[in-house]
Amino acid sequence: EIVLTQSPATLSLSPGERATLSCRASQSVSSYLAWYQQKPGQAPRLLIYDASNRATGIPARFSGSGSGTDFTLTISSLEPEDFAVYYCQQRSTRRFGGGTKVEIK
Amino acid sequence: EVQLVESGGGLVQPGGSLRLSCAASGFTFSSYWMHWVRQAPGKGLVWVSRINSDGSSTSYADSVKGRFTISRDNAKNTLYLQMNSLRAEDTAVYYCARDLLRFLEWDYMDVWGKGTTVTVSS
């Protein structure tokens, strides 16, 4: 069974800094990986699907890369509204990773 | 406006049952596969179940298989989750979510409801 491991668990950064989040799969998932953002008390929002495709309405500062077992979500310059928890998810079993919290430093 | 609105959550005793509903609007509900995802307090997201566009195919997480049943009524634009034999570990916010692409199982979720809270406790 494929397990997704996200790192780091918490990322402390300042607005304007670059955020790099990692998601590692226990076996290859090809490019079938998505990223979601969740703010406190809100539902998740789809950011990226198929590793690198931005969902409708997602700003260009969010980008995804990777294939096989190693994936990265990059936020080029953090805006105040980007501080949230981010989850990766793979298609074949629909499982989510444990999440990375991006907090204000 | 594309919208999903869940209802039916509440407090139930261990071993009890509950049926969640998810009312869809603003899109052609019958064209999309649909999912239920849950989130225990302070924890991450867990996929629970999915159903295809005409209701003929379903899939479940191992943790709920045999206890939960997903269904849909396309005439009423409504998704359901029948939950039986509830356990304390089923306590969570339950979200319904739409699959990304029409007619296909893509297993990414692009529209989410706000969730309904289920608490299993005596």
Side-chain angles (χ1 to χ4, degrees):
Chain A
E1 188 166 284
I2 299 173
V3 175
L4 299 177
T5 301
Q6 292 188 240
S7 62
T10 303
L11 196 53
S12 298
L13 294 168
S14 301
E17 289 193 294
R18 182 183 190 90
T20 303
L21 288 67
S22 173
C23 178
R24 177 164 290 176
S26 58
Q27 62 190 79
S28 177
V29 298
S30 187
S31 294
Y32 299 136
L33 189 106
W35 291 93
Y36 297 81
Q37 176 194 66
Q38 188 180 33
K39 298 177 183 179
Q42 295 187 18
R45 177 171 72 144
L46 178 66
L47 300 175
I48 301 285
Y49 65 93
D50 285 349
S52 61
N53 296 303
R54 270 191 302 276
T56 302
I58 301 304
R61 65 180 181 273
F62 292 93
S63 64
S65 63
S67 65
T69 60
D70 290 302
F71 299 86
T72 300
L73 174 70
T74 301
I75 310 171
S76 59
S77 178
L78 282 163
E79 296 287 339
E81 62 268 27
D82 299 337
F83 292 92
V85 179
Y86 293 83
Y87 295 95
C88 58
Q89 180 233 342
Q90 54 98 4
R91 276 186 65 196
S92 62
T93 63
R94 309 168 201 92
R95 296 188 83 174
F96 293 85
T100 290
K101 181 180 181 181
V102 178
E103 65 175 22
I104 299 177
K105 187 175 181 180
Chain B
E1 179 192 5
V2 173
Q3 196 171 11
L4 297 170
V5 179
E6 301 93 338
S7 61
L11 175 64
V12 60
Q13 292 188 339
S17 298
L18 213 53
R19 189 176 85 153
L20 307 183
S21 299
C22 171
S25 60
F27 66 99
T28 306
F29 178 71
S30 59
S31 297
Y32 289 86
W33 296 51
M34 296 294 296
H35 302 263
W36 287 99
V37 176
R38 70 185 182 185
Q39 186 170 35
K43 301 297 185 182
L45 301 170
V46 176
W47 174 82
V48 172
S49 182
R50 69 101 176 112
I51 188 168
N52 70 341
S53 54
D54 67 7
S56 62
S57 174
T58 59
S59 182
Y60 299 91
D62 288 344
S63 58
V64 306
K65 202 172 292 183
R67 301 188 298 123
F68 289 12
T69 302
I70 189 172
S71 62
R72 65 192 296 162
D73 185 336
N74 285 344
K76 295 183 177 180
N77 291 337
T78 303
L79 176 72
Y80 302 101
L81 186 68
Q82 177 67 43
M83 303 187 296
N84 298 331
S85 303
L86 283 161
R87 306 166 180 167
E89 54 264 36
D90 296 318
T91 294
V93 175
Y94 285 74
Y95 296 101
C96 67
R98 188 184 80 172
D99 208 296
L100 176 62
L101 298 180
R102 292 179 68 192
F103 305 120
L104 298 175
E105 179 186 15
W106 210 242
D107 287 332
Y108 303 130
M109 299 137 210
D110 71 331
V111 178
W112 295 67
K114 294 184 187 303
T116 188
T117 300
V118 173
T119 303
V120 184
S121 175
S122 55

